[in-house]
Amino acid sequence: MFKGLKPIQYAGREVWPLIEGGKGVSATNHMSSGAWAAAGGIGTVSAVNADSYDPEGRIVPQVYREMTRRGRHEELINYAVDGAVAQVKRAYEIASGRGAININVLWEMGGAQRVLHGVLERTKGLVSGVTCGAGMPYKLSEIAAQYGVNYLPIVSSGRAFRALWKRAYSKVADLLGAVVYEDPWLAGGHNGLSNAEDPRAPQPPYPRVKELRDVMREGGISDDVPIIMAGGVWRLDEWNDWIDNPELGQIAFQFGTRPLLTQESPIPPDWKSRLMTLEEGDILLHRFSPTGFYSSAVRNPFLRNLEARSHRQIAFTKEEIGDHQFALDVGVGTRKNFYVTKGDLQHAREWHAAGFTEAMKTPDDTLVFVTKEEMAVIRKDQADCMGCLSQCAFSSWADNEKNTTGRLADPRSFCIQKTLQDIAHGGPVEENLMFAGHAAFRFKQDPFYSNGFVPTVKQLVDRILTGA
């Protein structure tokens, strides 16, 4: 029998321990977040390139007019701040004093600290807390303290939290609102899978969350500070043993994928329809993201193309070394001194004959073979870079004095800003990156969604509170 949830105290108010995951680039907005808070939970406005509006209420297109990447980066930060402020204000109005409103940022997004300062300065009294992951956000607590809001770091291990706590967070212990444990094998979007962990060998979350609580206790953190379980959460009756469990302390639950399929969800109808067709295994944990992090998304033609591109890849040397004795005679034009193995030379000729006539260098001394059309798109996307990440493998942009990573731009990746903006605003779902958690296949199996039923956020929260 499902134990049921009890409300918790958060930011001076009573809320359900149910958190809406803050999905970036307009996949959550004021409508979904405000409705989630109005239902008594914690709604999360994404502050990652959120939409802003003109005086008539129409979305302002994010058009970049500056000629330099640095100039476009400044435009991007202005868009990000204006958009997040607009979303927070609208969400707060919808919530009407119920629940709470958080904002979510990616630490590795371009200008993350400037965006945080800009948003919190202009939304004083409206934002209860800041969730932040995708990196090691050491300065998160310091920024939160300047505005008197809670901070909620997103981690995937007790080890990561220990490092954050010892270096910075222990100095602002009173504003630690919760710690989000994001399962690196099950969550959608960017995941905190470390190099020491096998992406093909998922570990059960309970021991890892228990370890996280132990680390928190070592730091003197009260068991009343919740650990928020994120990734793979669908029905709460499946987490019954976690509720009121003295080993774990206070537990709350974050839902990222299920709120995508609600009436208030801002994602386009085609995206919602596609969610209802997914089968188990249709979500791919991959490493094509220009962030360098693992991430999880629907294995649609967009991702399959990236997989195929990486498969059309051979190593080369600039001199005849070992098995690399054969001069490459396709894909490189008049360029000389690309030596490959006999087998790879044969592969390259086959790809060239199939229309993949252009060889593009990667930072790892390999070549990937693409069509002329594909190479033109890659080159244009790289040239149009607006610095949406602190470091971008695809364009070699970095938010530093020289604005470069010092590495060759990687054609095996893609412009994440372009594809996420496109899918969020009605672009083809099969031709763009479609983030989703690994439980997304359950939309098709769950009787709650039978006959194409799309609930309101209130109906979804009420359903979740029953355990189902």
Side-chain angles (χ1 to χ4, degrees), residues 153-165 169 176 178-183 204-223 225-230 242 247-252:
I154 302 171
V155 299
S156 294
S157 68
R159 178 181 54 81
F161 180 74
R162 180 182 281 115
L164 291 166
W165 180 257
Y169 294 175
L176 179 65
V179 179
V180 183
Y181 171 79
E182 188 175 70
D183 190 299
Y206 188 96
R208 294 169 68 93
V209 173
K210 169 64 167 60
E211 179 191 23
L212 173 58
R213 178 61 75 184
D214 291 342
V215 171
M216 292 170 67
R217 286 168 177 159
E218 288 172 15
I221 301 169
S222 168
D223 279 8
V225 175
I227 292 176
I228 300 172
M229 177 61 204
W242 290 50
E247 279 196 331
L248 300 180
Q250 180 66 58
I251 290 289

Side-chain angles (χ1 to χ4, degrees), residues 251-268:
I251 290 289
F253 297 93
Q254 179 170 298
F255 293 82
T257 298
R258 283 190 83 171
L260 284 170
L261 197 55
T262 60
Q263 291 183 27
E264 294 89 345
S265 167
I267 67 172

Side-chain angles (χ1 to χ4, degrees), residues 87-285:
Q87 297 297 337
V88 167
K89 288 180 176 178
R90 291 179 175 220
Y92 190 81
E93 290 177 4
I94 292 171
S96 299
R98 297 184 295 274
I101 298 293
N102 283 350
I103 62 173
N104 177 70
V105 296
L106 303 177
W107 195 246
E108 291 300 325
M109 74 182 191
Q113 294 182 54
R114 291 175 60 192
V115 171
L116 259 182
H117 280 291
V119 175
L120 293 175
E121 181 64 39
R122 291 168 55 186
T123 57
K124 289 179 179 177
L126 308 183
V127 172
S128 295
V130 180
T131 58
C132 184
M136 292 293 280
Y138 289 110
K139 293 189 180 237
L140 178 63
S141 57
E142 176 187 323
I143 295 171
Q146 293 181 45
Y147 302 94
V149 300
N150 288 314
Y151 63 99
L152 301 84
I154 302 171
V155 299
S156 294
S157 68
R159 178 181 54 81
F161 180 74
R162 180 182 281 115
L164 291 166
W165 180 257
K166 288 187 173 181
R167 179 166 167 178
Y169 294 175
S170 60
K171 300 169 188 173
V172 194
D174 59 317
L175 289 177
L176 179 65
V179 179
V180 183
Y181 171 79
E182 188 175 70
D183 190 299
W185 291 276
L186 295 176
H190 290 107
N191 303 10
L193 199 66
S194 74
N195 291 329
E197 293 163 331
D198 187 343
R200 299 160 298 181
Q203 297 176 16
Y206 188 96
R208 294 169 68 93
V209 173
K210 169 64 167 60
E211 179 191 23
L212 173 58
R213 178 61 75 184
D214 291 342
V215 171
M216 292 170 67
R217 286 168 177 159
E218 288 172 15
I221 301 169
S222 168
D223 279 8
D224 292 334
V225 175
I227 292 176
I228 300 172
M229 177 61 204
V233 181
W234 193 270
R235 297 172 58 107
L236 287 187
D237 58 7
E238 297 169 345
W239 302 85
N240 213 27
D241 293 344
W242 290 50
I243 300 169
D244 298 329
N245 184 329
E247 279 196 331
L248 300 180
Q250 180 66 58
I251 290 289
F253 297 93
Q254 179 170 298
F255 293 82
T257 298
R258 283 190 83 171
L260 284 170
L261 197 55
T262 60
Q263 291 183 27
E264 294 89 345
S265 167
I267 67 172
D270 286 352
W271 190 346
K272 292 181 181 180
S273 297
R274 184 72 176 92
L275 289 172
M276 292 186 173
T277 69
L278 296 174
E279 303 284 352
E280 189 167 5
D282 278 352
I283 308 300
L284 178 68
L285 179 61

